[in-house]
Amino acid sequence: MSNAKIEFYGCGSPNVVKVHLFFKALGVPFNYHEVKWRDGEQYKPEFVKINPNSKLPAIVDHDVAGGPITVFESGNILLYLANKYGKFIPNVQTDLQGHTEVMNWLFWQMANLGPIFGNWYHFSVYAPEKYQYSITRFTNELSRLFHVLNRTLETRHFVAGNEYTIADMAIFPWARIYNFVPGCTKEEFPNLDAYITRIKQIKSVQEFEAYEAEQNAKNPRTEPTEEQRKNMFGVDGRNTK
Ligand SMILES: N[C@@H](CCC(=O)N[C@@H](CS)C(=O)NCC(=O)O)C(=O)O
C-alpha cells in the first residue's frame, strides 16, 4: 500500500463521530475536510460526486490498489474500514456468528437509533413550531430503543458481545446523549449508562473526546440564520441536480 491518505469529509455530528472513532482507534492517517452543511456545501457538484445523497460523512480512499474508492453512509464506511484493516469486526469466514452479531447491531443503529434520534432532535429542537404529536412519537420510539439497548447490555460489556467493535462505534455517538431526551435517566437505563462510562474509558475514545472538546471550544454552536435554515431544511430535491 502507498502512503496516500484517506480523504474524510465531515462536520460536527454523531454520524461523523463514528468514523473519527475508527480512525483514532487504529491511528489511520487521513485528511479532514469540513463540509459546511449549514451553508449548503453538501449540494455543491464537487461533493455530490463523492456522495450523491449529499450527506456526511463520506470518505475517498486513495490508499488502495486500483482506487480511489469512494464510500458513503456511516455504517458502510465503518464496515469498509473494518474489512480493509481486519479490525473491530470478527472475520466472516472464521466466525460467522460473531460477524453477524456485529452486523445486526450496525444495521439496527443505521435503521433505528440514528434516524429516530435525528427526527426527535429535529422536532424537539430545530422545529420553529413544536408539534406535540411528533415529539411524543419520536420520544416514545427513542425510549423503546434505549430499553432494547439497556436489556441487551445486561449481559454484555459491548453491544455485540465482549469486544469493542464497529457496532459500538456506530451506537456510542448517539447513545452518549441519551439523557438529552426528557425523562431518560440513569435510573431507568442503568446498563446503558454503565456502557457509556465503559466506552469513555477506552484510550482512543478519550483522545477523540478531548479533540472534540477543543474543536467545540474553538467553534461554539450558534443558532442557524434564516438563510442557513433554507440550506438545512428547505431542500426538496427539485432545486438540486
Ligand atoms: N444515514 C446517513 C445519515 C447522514 C446524515 O444525515 N448526516 C448529516 C450530518 S450533519 C448531514 O449530512 N446533514 C446534512 C443535510 O441533511 O443536509 C449516515 O449515517 O451516513
Side-chain angles (χ1 to χ4, degrees):
M1 271 181 218
S2 71
N3 286 328
K5 288 186 182 163
I6 295 179
E7 306 299 321
F8 172 19
Y9 298 82
C11 62
S13 126
N15 291 317
V16 175
V17 168
K18 299 171 185 177
V19 181
H20 277 292
L21 291 178
F22 191 102
F23 283 142
K24 268 279 179 244
L26 260 198
V28 176
F30 61 87
N31 286 324
Y32 183 71
H33 307 272
E34 179 81 17
V35 177
K36 296 196 181 86
W37 72 283
R38 288 175 168 215
D39 298 333
E41 287 183 359
Q42 69 276 36
Y43 296 109
K44 287 194 169 163
E46 53 272 32
F47 186 71
V48 174
K49 267 192 217 143
I50 296 166
N51 185 350
N53 195 38
S54 294
K55 301 279 176 189
L56 302 153
I59 63 168
V60 180
D61 187 359
H62 295 275
D63 177 26
V64 63
I69 293 181
T70 296
V71 196
F72 55 87
E73 284 296 321
S74 57
N76 192 36
I77 296 172
L78 288 174
L79 188 59
Y80 172 82
L81 295 171
N83 284 335
K84 173 170 173 165
Y85 295 102
K87 295 276 188 187
F88 302 116
I89 190 167
N91 185 291
V92 66
Q93 300 299 336
T94 55
D95 183 1
L96 183 59
Q97 190 171 32
H99 179 91
T100 305
E101 190 58 359
V102 172
M103 296 295 274
N104 283 339
W105 289 102
L106 185 63
F107 272 73
W108 178 85
Q109 192 288 323
M110 293 298 291
N112 296 273
L113 189 62
I116 299 294
F117 219 137
N119 278 304
W120 173 82
Y121 195 84
H122 183 86
F123 287 109
S124 304
V125 179
Y126 282 131
E129 290 142 25
K130 306 289 184 249
Y131 290 108
Q132 198 50 53
Y133 181 89
S134 319
I135 295 174
T136 305
R137 161 75 188 143
F138 289 110
T139 302
N140 288 349
E141 184 60 2
L142 259 188
S143 159
R144 191 188 68 76
L145 294 171
F146 294 153
H147 273 288
V148 170
L149 266 182
N150 194 62
R151 277 196 301 275
T152 301
L153 290 163
E154 211 171 293
T155 54
R156 295 175 175 193
H157 271 295
F158 295 102
V159 75
N162 287 324
E163 301 287 335
Y164 177 56
T165 68
I166 55 170
D168 301 295
M169 293 178 194
I171 288 171
F172 170 74
W174 291 99
R176 70 177 170 164
I177 51 172
Y178 81 95
N179 56 8
F180 280 24
V181 181
C184 292
T185 60
K186 183 176 170 173
E187 287 64 42
E188 189 175 358
F189 302 106
N191 305 320
L192 174 57
D193 198 87
Y195 165 77
I196 293 162
T197 306
R198 206 150 45 239
I199 296 212
K200 281 175 183 268
Q201 281 161 0
I202 297 171
K203 192 164 168 273
S204 59
V205 175
Q206 288 177 347
E207 285 168 0
F208 169 72
E209 287 198 319
Y211 159 83
E212 184 186 45
E214 245 172 55
Q215 296 303 312
N216 290 345
K218 276 192 216 153
N219 311 296
R221 289 249 158 158
T222 52
E223 277 298 304
T225 62
E226 269 318 298
E227 196 52 35
Q228 287 178 324
R229 289 185 71 87
K230 281 188 205 146
N231 295 322
M232 292 162 79
F233 311 124
V235 175
D236 66 4
R238 296 187 183 109
N239 50 359
T240 52
K241 285 197 188 132

